[in-house]
Amino acid sequence: AGVDFTPKKITQAFNWTFFIAGAFVWCLVTISFVVKVWRRFDFVLKEWRHPVRVYFFFMPHLSLTMLNISSPKTLDEVLRPIRTACFSVCFASQICLCLVVYARWMFSPQAADIGHASPPYLLSTVGWPLLCVLSQTLQLGRRWHMNVPALLFGPGAVFYALAFISIMQTMHDHRHTQGAPSLFLIIAPPSVMCVALANFAGGPFYAVPTAIFGFCLIMCLLLVRLGPKLLERPDTLGVYWAYTFPIAALAGTSVRFADTEGTGPAKSISWTLIGLANVTLLTVIFRMSTHLIVVAAGKGFWTDPLLPGSPRLMARAATGGKDKNDSARPIMITGLARPKSRKTVSDPSGYHCSGAPRRSARKLRVTRAPGDTEDASTAAPSDQGAARGPA
């Protein structure tokens, strides 16, 4: 909102549309996560202990913070108490989670220290500048009688610098991350910091935020040059959505930059980044939708490193779901299911392998390929016949 070089009504319409859509999606995802905690707490506990997956616990309060920042200006006074309460919840969540992960940065026996940093580590740093911008929007420095935005900006700047340097130094050991969605998180924290610094100066983009914005532009060009992996099969559910947030944050920063400069070249940069953000969003929606259709049709599968359906599932995922002992039909992970008969072999991970034909995939369970006997040794003696092939 408040973009000078676009019609006001169009800007407000887009603001309302994306705010309502974002609120709906946030509520849906939050409810799904609560159900996941209730039904599969063992899996959530595995994620919490994982050196990388723990950073995805930041997403609920990060999304809520961004939702409050993007609320329409016409609702500022009406939603101010609610937005302040949301800020308090997100701030408490950010502190609690950061105390855990930053302790792992210093001392961790599970390769979760800062020396093994990977791009998802940046999810713990982007919350600080986001909360800083939200506190500036809510004028908490004046209302709470202390410089809340500055207190929030400091941890974000320092911990981002530590994580960024460590990621760049160890990038040669993580060549598989080239073009990965998580790698685009590099541009998210500094893009938000630009807006926070501009707010400290009263709104306009002066030298410091403009300099950081220039760094973000170069990093964006570099990441695009490395080539996004949108055409490859997604490794886990929702992984491609990491492409959208950083580019959208950079596009929002470019709008503030163009507002200050007011020149044709600055507006061209802003419109280019806005177009890139929208194209990225539509491409991710299309790519994820097509893969969901393939999985629903029984011709594709999801994988998860924490919940393999069989000991060779991840290896088969890398080869299109086949090996020399398999038929043409791949293994499919289409959901979690409880064992209901003796013909289902329970796997300790929580998935259940069955030798039923392909049509059984509609019951949302892992469907084993015919002739697969690798997991027979893990089954109970009375169940080994069911693990060897189709019933």
Side-chain angles (χ1 to χ4, degrees):
V3 183
D4 292 338
F5 58 94
T6 56
K8 187 175 181 180
K9 291 185 178 181
I10 297 178
T11 302
Q12 292 177 347
F14 273 104
N15 192 185
W16 273 99
T17 301
F18 283 105
F19 176 74
I20 294 174
F24 174 78
V25 172
W26 185 86
C27 292
L28 182 64
V29 173
T30 302
I31 293 173
S32 301
F33 180 73
V34 172
V35 173
K36 174 183 174 181
V37 173
W38 176 55
R39 297 195 61 182
R40 296 311 308 267
F41 182 75
D42 56 334
F43 177 52
V44 176
L45 192 60
K46 288 182 180 181
E47 290 184 312
W48 175 256
R49 294 171 178 172
H50 195 270
V52 175
R53 295 285 278 273
V54 65
Y55 293 95
F56 296 118
F57 284 86
F58 285 85
M59 290 310 300
H61 77 264
L62 292 181
S63 303
L64 183 59
T65 303
M66 289 185 284
L67 188 64
N68 281 273
I69 292 175
S70 65
S71 64
K73 288 188 177 297
T74 54
L75 299 178
D76 280 353
E77 295 300 326
V78 177
L79 296 180
R80 187 178 296 274
I82 298 176
R83 296 171 72 193
T84 303
C86 290
F87 170 86
S88 302
V89 172
C90 295
F91 179 52
S93 178
Q94 177 74 11
I95 290 180
C96 292
L97 290 173
C98 283
L99 290 177
V100 173
V101 298
Y102 293 162
R104 296 184 186 182
W105 284 19
M106 294 186 290
F107 307 102
S108 175
Q110 299 178 344
D113 55 90
I114 192 65
H116 296 83
S118 59
Y121 279 46
L122 296 170
L123 287 173
S124 66
T125 65
V126 71
W128 297 112
L130 284 172
L131 287 169
C132 177
V133 172
L134 181 58
S135 66
Q136 292 170 332
T137 304
L138 296 174
Q139 301 179 352
L140 294 184
R142 177 182 58 82
R143 294 168 56 198
W144 290 6
H145 306 290
M146 61 179 178
N147 198 347
V148 178
L151 291 173
L152 295 170
F153 186 87
V158 174
F159 285 114
Y160 170 77
L162 290 174
F164 175 75
I165 293 173
S166 180
I167 290 171
M168 295 298 288
Q169 288 180 333
T170 59
M171 193 66 70
H172 61 279
D173 294 328
H174 303 88
R175 296 185 182 275
H176 62 280
T177 62
Q178 178 177 338
S182 59
L183 195 59
F184 279 72
L185 292 172
I186 289 177
I187 62 177
S191 297
V192 184
M193 289 178 188
C194 291
V195 178
L197 288 171
N199 291 339
F200 280 128
F205 258 51
Y206 293 124
V208 175
T210 302
I212 299 176
F213 177 64
F215 162 75
C216 295
L217 287 177
I218 295 301
M219 286 303 304
C220 182
L221 292 174
L222 175 61
L223 295 173
V224 173
R225 162 67 178 80
L226 292 175
K229 297 181 178 179
L230 279 169
L231 297 181
E232 296 185 5
R233 182 187 58 80
D235 293 331
T236 54
L237 180 64
V239 65
Y240 284 151
W241 289 106
Y243 284 121
T244 60
F245 159 55
I247 298 177
L250 183 59
T253 302
S254 71
V255 172
R256 294 287 298 272
F257 170 72
D259 262 349
T260 300
E261 297 295 327
T263 60
K267 294 177 182 180
S268 299
I269 293 175
S270 181
W271 279 114
T272 301
L273 290 173
I274 291 173
L276 178 62
N278 284 280
V279 169
T280 302
L281 176 63
L282 295 175
T283 303
V284 169
I285 292 175
F286 174 78
R287 183 66 184 89
M288 294 297 295
S289 299
T290 55
H291 191 71
L292 285 172
I293 293 173
V294 171
V295 172
K299 298 179 181 179
F301 53 94
W302 295 107
T303 58
D304 194 307
L306 297 185
L307 289 177
S310 71
R312 302 204 316 268
L313 179 60
M314 299 306 296
R316 294 182 186 181
T319 59
K322 303 177 184 179
D323 65 22
K324 62 182 180 180
N325 296 322
D326 286 341
S327 67
R329 177 165 56 89
I331 294 178
M332 295 172 291
I333 298 182
T334 53
L336 297 175
R338 301 285 181 182
K340 295 184 179 181
S341 69
R342 295 176 63 251
K343 293 185 178 181
T344 302
V345 180
S346 178
D347 184 87
S349 64
Y351 284 107
H352 301 279
C353 304
S354 170
R358 182 183 298 180
R359 60 179 176 274
S360 64
R362 68 178 64 136
K363 294 185 178 180
L364 298 181
R365 59 184 176 184
V366 175
T367 303
R368 298 290 308 283
D372 191 354
T373 61
E374 296 299 321
D375 287 341
S377 60
T378 63
S382 59
D383 293 329
Q384 289 182 5
R388 292 191 182 98

